[in-house]
Amino acid sequence: MKHDVQVLVVGGGIVGLSTAYALTREHPGTGVAVLEKEDALAAHQTGRNSGVIHSGVYYRPGSLKARYATGGAREMVAFCREQGIAHQVTGKLIVATGPAELPRLAALAERGRANGIPLTELDPAGLRAHEPEVAGIAGLHLATTGICDYPAVARRYAALAGERGAELRLATPVLEIARRADGVTVTTPHGEVRCAVLVNCAGLHSDRIARLAGDDPGVRIVPFRGEYYELAEGRRELVRGLVYPVPDPAFPFLGVHLTRGIHGDVHVGPNAVPALAREGYDWRTLNVRDLAETARFPGTWTIARRHWRHELGELHRSLSKRAFTTAVRRLLPAVTAADLVPATAGVRAQAVTRDGTLLDDFAFAGFDPADPRSPRRTVHVLNAPSPAATASLGIGREVARRAVAALRAEG
């Protein structure tokens, strides 16, 4: 097969673009193209998050998330500084609002230290010194957390990759994938693209792309929508930086938090409710195929059985602004429903196994240079929710490493 390009990346979000950037920067001369189904970059997870540069405190020591986030926070700040992208190292508070949360807060402090994260334990007076309007009985201050403009980061990755020869094709969805011994042919509405190695960074559709390529991903993407409010313009002074609750380890999401954005806005949220479509950013958006796939998947019902109490609360806060406000007031007593203005929602691409396990770590599949039995000519990023944006430079290098190894394996 004559190849049009050596490495074809599917997905124009921050992970796909960081992969293209890493390929062109660290492996010059490699022919790279990126296919993005939307007519703009960073249209989904990258462009619909709170913009936090995560420190890595939440993640199990030794996990990929812990390794990539702790180093990634430093790298992201340096990249933004070098490239002139709006960013700020704000620090973050994790706040315990009741005695039952104190053991979990202590466990977080221990985990943070194990991950090499500088942190300070605070009493109520210490909390007030950082955030006068926030209520709590104890907390942690993490100095390395920050905020940045991730869509701008993604666009810069694309520009730098393009300067080194990478091709970016917008409005180009993947329709079919045919893999042969001598290459991979990807069919799009604009014709076929032939490549030596296919890299799947399709986010919300990563499991589908893997199956189209003939690989069994072993997981299904189950979409969870995160709904946000913003503080009304005259009330933004209530929050100086980033304020998070102590997460509940029985539930895989962080809970409603307060995030001052790089442009001065203050996000409040998100909750976590099942989405009726993979790109279902509100309750009105329903995709029959997406919903049917989710409903048929055994892991969906296991999740429902395990977490139904939490999800009832999340659904209540989704449908009732009053309930959402009550949840926020645990951290920020001065806020009222009138202070909260609806903001853009996001959908998390959460990979779930058939037994209902929500993958907690980044997950890659396809060609693995350490496993001679691994599939050839494909590399898949199957689970890359938060903190993937923070860790995108490191993830991009890892995916690029696998792609180049796959190229070399094929001679």
Side-chain angles (χ1 to χ4, degrees):
M1 177 188 294
K2 181 181 177 182
H3 301 137
D4 300 308
V5 65
Q6 289 174 286
V7 180
L8 183 65
V9 179
V10 177
I14 201 166
V15 171
L17 295 170
S18 67
T19 297
Y21 170 55
L23 282 165
T24 57
R25 179 185 183 187
E26 300 186 17
H27 307 279
T30 304
V32 179
V34 179
L35 303 184
E36 167 53 47
K37 72 181 182 68
E38 307 295 352
D39 58 8
L41 300 173
H44 295 290
Q45 291 183 107
T46 304
R48 291 174 171 268
N49 62 61
S50 54
V52 175
I53 302 173
H54 289 281
S55 63
V57 70
Y58 300 111
Y59 315 121
R60 176 175 51 81
S63 66
L64 293 178
K65 280 188 176 182
R67 287 164 45 200
Y68 285 132
T70 52
R74 293 188 296 271
E75 276 197 296
M76 184 55 63
V77 169
F79 182 85
C80 289
R81 185 183 300 119
E82 292 164 3
Q83 301 296 326
I85 295 170
H87 71 287
Q88 185 179 354
V89 181
T90 58
K92 175 172 84 174
L93 291 184
I94 301 175
V95 179
T97 57
E101 297 175 345
L102 294 178
R104 301 205 304 266
L105 187 71
L108 268 184
E110 184 177 347
R111 176 168 285 192
R113 293 188 182 99
N115 287 335
I117 299 165
L119 55 86
T120 304
E121 298 185 61
L122 301 174
D123 60 11
L127 290 174
R128 287 193 298 273
H130 287 281
E131 293 283 355
E133 298 292 338
V134 168
I137 61 172
L140 302 177
H141 181 256
L142 310 173
T144 57
T145 304
I147 52 176
C148 74
D149 185 341
Y150 281 125
V153 171
R155 291 191 294 268
R156 191 58 186 150
Y157 287 162
L160 292 170
E163 290 171 6
R164 298 184 175 94
E167 180 185 359
L168 178 63
R169 302 186 187 185
L170 297 175
T172 307
V174 171
L175 303 178
E176 296 179 6
I177 300 172
R179 188 166 64 188
R180 302 189 336 207
D182 56 351
V184 182
T185 300
V186 176
T187 302
T188 79
H190 312 299
E192 294 181 344
V193 184
R194 294 161 296 187
C195 62
V197 173
L198 177 73
V199 172
N200 168 18
C201 299
L204 287 159
H205 303 278
S206 57
D207 58 334
R208 288 176 173 168
I209 295 297
R211 289 195 295 274
L212 279 178
D215 294 329
D216 178 7
V219 296
R220 180 68 52 85
I221 297 298
V222 175
F224 287 88
R225 183 171 63 254
E227 298 165 332
Y228 289 90
Y229 286 90
E230 291 181 2
L231 288 183
E233 190 169 347
R235 299 291 277 167
R236 292 175 179 174
E237 75 281 354
L238 291 174
V239 179
R240 292 178 176 179
L242 312 181
V243 183
Y244 281 60
V246 179
D248 184 346
F251 194 59
F253 302 101
L254 292 177
V256 172
H257 45 271
L258 312 167
T259 310
R260 177 167 287 278
I262 199 65
H263 303 296
D265 52 320
V266 178
H267 274 79
V268 183
N271 55 13
V273 295
L276 304 181
R278 296 204 183 196
E279 296 166 14
Y281 297 112
D282 54 48
W283 285 113
R284 297 184 301 276
T285 303
L286 184 151
N287 182 293
V288 174
R289 177 193 175 192
D290 292 351
L291 189 58
E293 284 187 359
T294 298
R296 287 196 302 265
F297 185 58
T300 300
W301 299 103
T302 304
I303 293 170
R305 286 193 297 271
R306 289 174 181 167
H307 300 296
W308 66 270
R309 287 185 178 85
H310 287 94
E311 270 307 310
L312 282 179
E314 296 292 312
L315 288 167
H316 186 207
R317 286 185 284 275
S318 172
L319 299 173
S320 168
K321 186 178 183 181
R322 180 178 179 180
F324 191 99
T325 305
T326 298
V328 178
R329 284 174 58 86
R330 292 184 63 229
L331 285 173
L332 193 65
V335 79
T336 68
D339 297 330
L340 300 177
V341 180
T344 301
V347 176
R348 176 187 178 117
Q350 177 63 56
V352 180
T353 64
R354 288 183 64 83
D355 69 0
T357 300
L358 283 74
L359 294 195
D360 185 52
D361 208 357
F362 298 141
F364 308 104
F367 183 77
D368 183 348
D371 183 1
R373 299 170 298 176
S374 62
R376 317 289 282 188
R377 296 196 179 277
T378 56
V379 178
H380 305 290
V381 181
L382 293 177
N383 197 56
S386 179
T390 299
S392 56
L393 286 162
I395 294 174
R397 285 193 300 272
E398 172 61 19
V399 179
R401 181 187 72 82
R402 291 175 181 240
V404 169
L407 278 175
R408 290 170 178 165
E410 301 301 331

